[in-house]
Amino acid sequence: SRHSPGPLLHCLGLRGFANLLSRYEIGNLDFTVSGVVISGRVLATGGTPAIGTSVQLRRTSLPAAARDISGFLSERFLWNTNVESSDGSFYIPGLPAGRYVVEASAESSPMQTREVVAGKDAIKGIDFTLPIVLVSGAIVLDDGRAVPDPHRLGSILFESVGNDDDSSTIFRVSNAGTFGGVLEPGNYRIDLPSLPWDYSIVSITSDGRDLLKDTFKMTASKPRKIEVRVERLSDPVPHR
């Protein structure tokens, strides 16, 4: 049978509900989230998918369910997430009809906005191009397959080497195994400080360079991509 997750969604929100599901193995769960879907992409300079940038949705019109201005303000900001998909796409489901503003932003970049009016049909092609140069990448298994539990990978560390500013930059690894963001020009060592005990780093490469041996150089003019390959030391599921 088909069940509505409405009460649970109301308590947890869509992101909280998704995080809850990711922690448990749940079979035969079948439901739909009603409402309008808004989707699009966020790109950076050079057409690079802007992984790690922020997408926020807010109301610009009073919802019918809000009886006063306090109800409007409490529900004004409906969605705030980071782009995690490897192609820079985002997806906002379950919106009631109304007028909204979609905002895309990143560190060191002016915010860009698009106003949309939601009716009955899905709204596609809400695309942004931010004037930023990004570093982005993915963590995969040593044979190129997706890591089965990317939520355990934690973060990736860019440690400044020989720069005027010796600070480090940390990017969170998404549930898609991707990472990215704005990185100041300079030289860096790369590490995965929170890599689980049952994984080890096999390689870190960018443009054919071995970043386990060489430093990674970030410039202000060229987007960079990094691939990290890891080996799972203990795999309870045999490969077929």
Side-chain angles (χ1 to χ4, degrees):
S1 61
R2 185 176 298 271
H3 301 279
S4 170
L8 191 56
L9 278 173
H10 179 75
C11 294
L12 298 178
L14 288 171
R15 293 189 69 190
F17 186 68
N19 289 335
L20 176 66
L21 292 183
S22 69
R23 298 181 183 180
Y24 298 94
E25 183 177 348
I26 302 176
N28 300 321
L29 182 64
D30 184 18
F31 63 83
T32 58
V33 178
S34 61
V36 177
V37 173
I38 296 177
S39 61
R41 298 178 71 198
V42 184
L43 303 177
T45 299
T48 304
I51 299 171
T53 55
S54 173
V55 175
Q56 182 170 279
L57 180 83
R58 60 181 174 85
R59 295 182 185 272
T60 59
S61 60
L62 188 69
R67 299 180 179 179
D68 53 34
I69 190 63
S70 63
F72 168 63
L73 293 175
S74 67
E75 297 187 6
R76 186 182 181 193
F77 294 99
L78 299 180
W79 188 273
N80 188 4
T81 188
N82 290 329
V83 174
E84 298 184 349
S85 174
S86 60
D87 65 354
S89 60
F90 64 88
Y91 176 86
I92 305 174
L95 298 175
R99 189 178 297 273
Y100 302 89
V101 170
V102 185
E103 302 172 342
S105 61
E107 184 180 351
S108 305
S109 172
M111 178 184 295
Q112 293 188 9
T113 63
R114 293 279 300 276
E115 185 170 340
V116 297
V117 178
K120 297 181 179 179
D121 299 326
I123 301 174
K124 302 178 181 180
I126 306 301
D127 300 338
F128 301 90
T129 299
L130 301 179
I132 52 176
V133 177
L134 294 179
V135 59
S136 62
I139 302 175
V140 297
L141 294 178
D142 53 341
D143 60 2
R145 292 181 299 123
V147 174
D149 46 2
H151 61 280
R152 297 179 59 218
L153 299 178
S155 59
I156 184 166
L157 170 69
F158 289 78
E159 183 180 4
S160 179
V161 177
N163 302 324
D164 293 337
D165 183 359
D166 291 332
S167 62
S168 299
T169 300
I170 297 176
F171 298 121
R172 184 181 69 86
V173 178
S174 76
N175 288 333
T178 59
F179 59 87
V182 177
L183 186 65
E184 292 295 321
N187 297 309
Y188 297 88
R189 291 284 186 189
I190 301 175
D191 193 16
L192 275 71
S194 52
L195 191 68
W197 67 269
D198 52 341
Y199 282 97
S200 67
I201 298 174
V202 174
S203 65
I204 304 177
T205 57
S206 178
D207 294 332
R209 297 191 64 178
D210 182 354
L211 299 181
L212 291 178
K213 298 179 180 179
D214 301 330
T215 57
F216 172 72
K217 185 175 183 179
M218 186 69 190
T219 69
S221 59
K222 179 183 178 182
R224 301 294 302 276
K225 290 187 177 181
I226 296 173
E227 182 184 73
V228 180
R229 295 206 173 204
V230 296
E231 177 184 11
R232 193 169 190 182
L233 304 179
S234 175
D235 192 346
V237 180
H239 300 312
R240 296 182 180 178

